[in-house]
Amino acid sequence: MAANSVTDSNAATTQGHNFPPVRACIFDMDGLLIDSEDAYTKVTNIILNENGRPDLPWSIKAQLQGRPGPSAGKIFRAWAQLPITEEAFLERQRELQRDMFKHCKPLPGVVDMLNSLAAAHTDADRKKIRLALATSSHGRNYDIKTAHMKEMFTVFPEKQKIVGDDERIPKGRGKPLPDIYLLALQTINEQIRSEGASERDILPGECLVFEDSVPGAESGRRAGMRVVWVPHPGLLDVYKDRVEEVLAGRTGEHDENDSTHHGSEPLPGSPGKVGELNDGWGERLNSLEDFDYRKYGIVVRAGETSGRSGQDSKPDQGGHEDNLTPVPVFEKPPASKLS
């Protein structure tokens, strides 16, 4: 059955469209869960200034966000025209990142949201919401950024933590191609089957991708998934007149003639297709604090959320306990550990 043909009597309504309830939430990391995008900007600007170049403008940074290192590096070098070798730039970059990444911290709403989703279930059949991480950040940088936030990332099962240099991603097929999100869904369905439950496989149209970057939003749409776009204010300023194009994945981030992804076997479903303008498959939020669980057919336990989204939650109906695997609720990391 095609992803966009899934129907359910408990379909969630979004922007006048009916969709199946969300059964899986897949998250990007940099700039979405943690403030590492600001760290990337600071590191880049230090190197630029050391070499007599101006700060990185958002018009260029917007093209780098969410992309794998080689693709982003190609775009950056063409703009920066640094008077040093690529090797010298990368060495200085690694040196600065090793220190700056240690101070990354969760963005607003993230801790509450992950806590809520870890204990949430679908409105339709009371199955737990499946979670996965899909980041272009390589494993080494992922470890540095998250070392002091490990507990926060325990909501993602190890096999559902997909990093940019994961060998399961076909070479050169990072975002905006959909392979990383297709792989994340594949690992979720493998987990469902391994549990031997009666739960059927999750379809792409039952997945919700959370992204902050433009290439990442296209990646999610090409995977046949719904997308929540939470851009940095600087990025939104660049795309303020093209929001619907971003939500549809129609900003032209994927270049079929780009040789970096040629010669590798794509995952089934790649390169996928972009959406249509105003098709209801995407939503922009200013912050994850504004996420409306009910809109997506997700039920969270009473008291698990705060703010507007918490007002949409409701306690279990029917006088029986949730049949969910208990998940420890973690606390927000103390500020002293993040500075």
Side-chain angles (χ1 to χ4, degrees), residues 192-271:
I192 290 175
R193 294 176 208 137
S194 72
E195 293 171 359
S198 58
E199 189 174 356
R200 63 172 175 80
D201 279 6
I202 296 174
L203 299 171
E206 298 171 305
C207 295
L208 186 60
V209 165
F210 292 84
E211 269 284 356
D212 70 304
S213 74
V214 175
E218 178 172 333
S219 179
R221 288 305 312 266
R222 284 183 174 273
M225 301 174 182
R226 296 166 71 184
V227 171
V228 171
W229 183 45
V230 191
H232 186 286
L235 178 63
L236 180 59
D237 188 56
V238 174
Y239 282 91
K240 61 180 180 295
D241 297 324
R242 303 181 66 190
V243 170
E244 287 302 328
E245 290 179 62
V246 175
L247 297 180
R250 301 186 71 90
T251 57
E253 296 298 320
H254 170 57
D255 179 5
E256 191 59 41
N257 295 318
D258 185 351
S259 61
T260 59
H261 63 264
H262 292 170
S264 61
E265 186 67 26
L267 292 178
S270 182

Side-chain angles (χ1 to χ4, degrees), residues 54 75 158 174:
I75 295 170
E158 284 303 315

Side-chain angles (χ1 to χ4, degrees), residues 28-196:
D28 174 49
M29 182 180 74
D30 294 299
L32 187 280
L33 296 181
I34 62 176
D35 64 353
S36 47
E37 280 295 348
D38 289 337
Y40 276 112
T41 300
K42 291 177 183 177
V43 165
T44 301
N45 285 340
I46 288 173
I47 301 174
L48 286 168
N49 297 164
E50 288 175 345
N51 290 276
R53 299 288 284 134
D55 286 351
L56 183 70
W58 265 103
S59 58
I60 299 299
K61 184 173 175 63
Q63 301 175 52
L64 311 180
Q65 278 188 301
R67 293 183 185 273
S71 297
K74 182 179 178 181
I75 295 170
F76 173 75
R77 288 191 299 274
W79 170 81
Q81 297 295 307
L82 288 171
I84 56 176
T85 64
E86 181 181 354
E87 292 72 21
F89 169 80
L90 292 174
E91 179 57 35
R92 180 63 170 144
Q93 183 186 57
R94 284 191 291 267
E95 176 189 356
L96 294 168
Q97 286 178 348
R98 276 194 297 269
D99 176 63
M100 211 160 288
F101 285 163
K102 295 176 183 178
H103 305 290
C104 292
K105 58 183 180 293
L107 286 165
V110 169
V111 172
D112 287 341
M113 184 176 201
L114 294 182
N115 269 328
S116 297
L117 288 174
H121 60 77
T122 59
D123 196 9
D125 53 14
R126 301 184 54 76
K127 300 294 186 183
K128 67 181 180 181
I129 301 298
R130 304 286 176 161
L131 303 177
L133 184 74
T135 174
S136 296
S137 208
H138 282 202
R140 176 179 61 86
N141 281 341
Y142 169 83
D143 290 339
I144 298 173
K145 294 169 188 173
T146 63
H148 56 293
M149 295 182 278
K150 285 185 177 179
E151 190 174 8
M152 189 178 90
F153 286 86
T154 59
V155 298
F156 303 109
E158 284 303 315
K159 290 184 178 179
Q160 276 88 270
K161 292 178 183 176
I162 317 297
V163 294
D165 54 349
D166 192 308
E167 62 183 15
R168 296 172 294 178
I169 302 174
K171 185 177 180 180
R173 300 198 65 84
K175 303 172 186 178
L177 288 167
D179 298 63
I180 191 169
Y181 284 116
L182 294 172
L183 175 61
L185 177 55
Q186 177 181 308
T187 64
I188 290 172
N189 283 329
E190 288 171 352
Q191 176 63 34
I192 290 175
R193 294 176 208 137
S194 72
E195 293 171 359

